[in-house]
Amino acid sequence: AQKITQTQPGMFVQEKEAVTLDCTYDTSDQSYGLFWYKQPSSGEMIFLIYQGSYDEQNATEGRYSLNFQKARKSANLVISASQLGDSAMYFCAMSNTNAGKSTFGDGTTLTVKP
Amino acid sequence: GAVVSQHPSRVICKSGTSVKIECRSLDFQATTMFWYRQFPKQSLMLMATSNEGSKATYEQGVEKDKFLINHASLTLSTLTVTSAHPEDSSFYICSARRGLAGASWQYFGPGTRLTVT
């Protein structure tokens, strides 16, 4: 069974500063994918970044980077230069490569202060 | 990029009636679609996995007779909430898996907010 743990229910960050959202996972699979999604108040799930279990380099997508530490089973999301529009709920998710279905963490609500 | 649509985006129905939610992959074929349910301020809970041409696989605790899923084509899956009750009020999100086994990407629809009065 797969499990995703996000220990920060809520986070605050000052505009233009960087913030790290924590995510740890547990799985017995060797091949898996880790995802981060942003969910604004509208409800849509916005894909942010992906890390494959065999990827040796940390994924980056613009202001988003994923700090992947496989031995520690952690996949933290780093948002640099926070913007007011970054205020949303953020979900870490894991997907088994074969089954495809995802397991989601409980989410972290990020609030960016002006 | 891959686009998944859901219809309707919002629906209000009376207790005891049934409501159908459609999930469409607009620019790719999806052999597998997933249905999630989300309560306010909570995570997404997988309800079922829908495979084209076969019966859906439901997660433990999900009533298959209440939440009917049909995946009749490679671009359309439907979720029917039968005899809806106020406790079924929730945000329902579908996602579509692109490609065959070995691909873990899912593309999410915008969600459907169901309110049962």
Side-chain angles (χ1 to χ4, degrees):
Chain A
Q2 299 178 331
K3 184 176 172 62
I4 295 284
T5 302
Q6 294 179 253
T7 58
Q8 307 154 314
M11 287 283 286
F12 291 89
V13 65
Q14 207 67 35
E15 192 178 8
K16 299 181 184 178
E17 291 186 351
V19 63
T20 298
L21 306 184
D22 294 340
C23 172
T24 58
Y25 62 91
D26 191 22
T27 181
S28 57
D29 297 322
Q30 297 300 310
S31 179
Y32 52 88
L34 294 158
F35 300 79
W36 277 94
Y37 296 92
K38 172 184 177 182
Q39 188 180 42
S41 57
S42 63
E44 63 174 318
M45 296 290 285
I46 301 170
F47 164 77
L48 296 179
I49 198 166
Y50 166 81
Q51 180 87 38
S53 58
Y54 293 116
D55 294 340
E56 294 185 353
Q57 289 199 331
N58 287 340
T60 60
E61 290 284 350
R63 294 187 298 111
Y64 305 107
S65 60
L66 198 152
N67 185 357
F68 181 46
Q69 297 189 41
K70 195 171 182 178
R72 293 186 178 184
K73 294 188 175 179
S74 74
N76 298 338
L77 176 70
V78 180
I79 305 175
S80 62
S82 297
Q83 302 172 357
L84 296 178
D86 293 335
S87 293
M89 196 151 185
Y90 288 80
F91 290 99
C92 178
M94 162 183 282
S95 179
N96 172 280
T97 304
N98 289 327
K101 64 181 181 180
S102 292
T103 301
F104 286 80
D106 289 338
T108 296
T109 300
L110 177 67
T111 303
V112 180
K113 293 182 173 181
Chain B
V3 178
V4 176
S5 70
Q6 272 185 252
H7 178 80
S9 58
R10 290 178 180 271
V11 58
I12 301 173
C13 71
K14 291 188 176 180
S15 187
T17 62
S18 296
V19 60
K20 179 186 286 187
I21 302 169
E22 293 186 348
C23 177
R24 293 181 185 272
S25 56
L26 299 183
D27 53 356
F28 67 98
Q29 293 184 333
T31 54
T32 304
M33 289 184 173
F34 303 95
W35 286 96
Y36 296 87
R37 183 175 182 177
Q38 185 182 29
F39 291 107
K41 306 290 185 184
Q42 294 188 22
S43 185
L44 278 70
M45 291 178 51
L46 179 66
M47 298 175 67
T49 302
S50 168
N51 293 298
E52 186 266 336
S54 63
K55 289 184 178 180
T57 302
Y58 290 82
E59 296 298 303
Q60 192 172 10
V62 177
E63 298 177 61
K64 57 183 68 176
D65 293 332
K66 180 167 187 63
F67 298 100
L68 301 179
I69 291 172
N70 184 276
H71 194 158
S73 77
L74 286 171
T75 59
L76 174 64
S77 176
T78 60
L79 168 68
T80 301
V81 183
T82 62
S83 186
H85 291 287
E87 57 265 30
D88 298 325
S89 298
S90 188
F91 192 59
Y92 292 88
I93 306 176
C94 74
S95 70
R97 177 177 168 178
R98 187 173 192 171
L100 301 176
S104 57
W105 289 89
Q106 292 181 48
Y107 298 89
F108 285 86
T112 297
R113 199 166 299 278
L114 169 64
T115 303
V116 184
T117 60

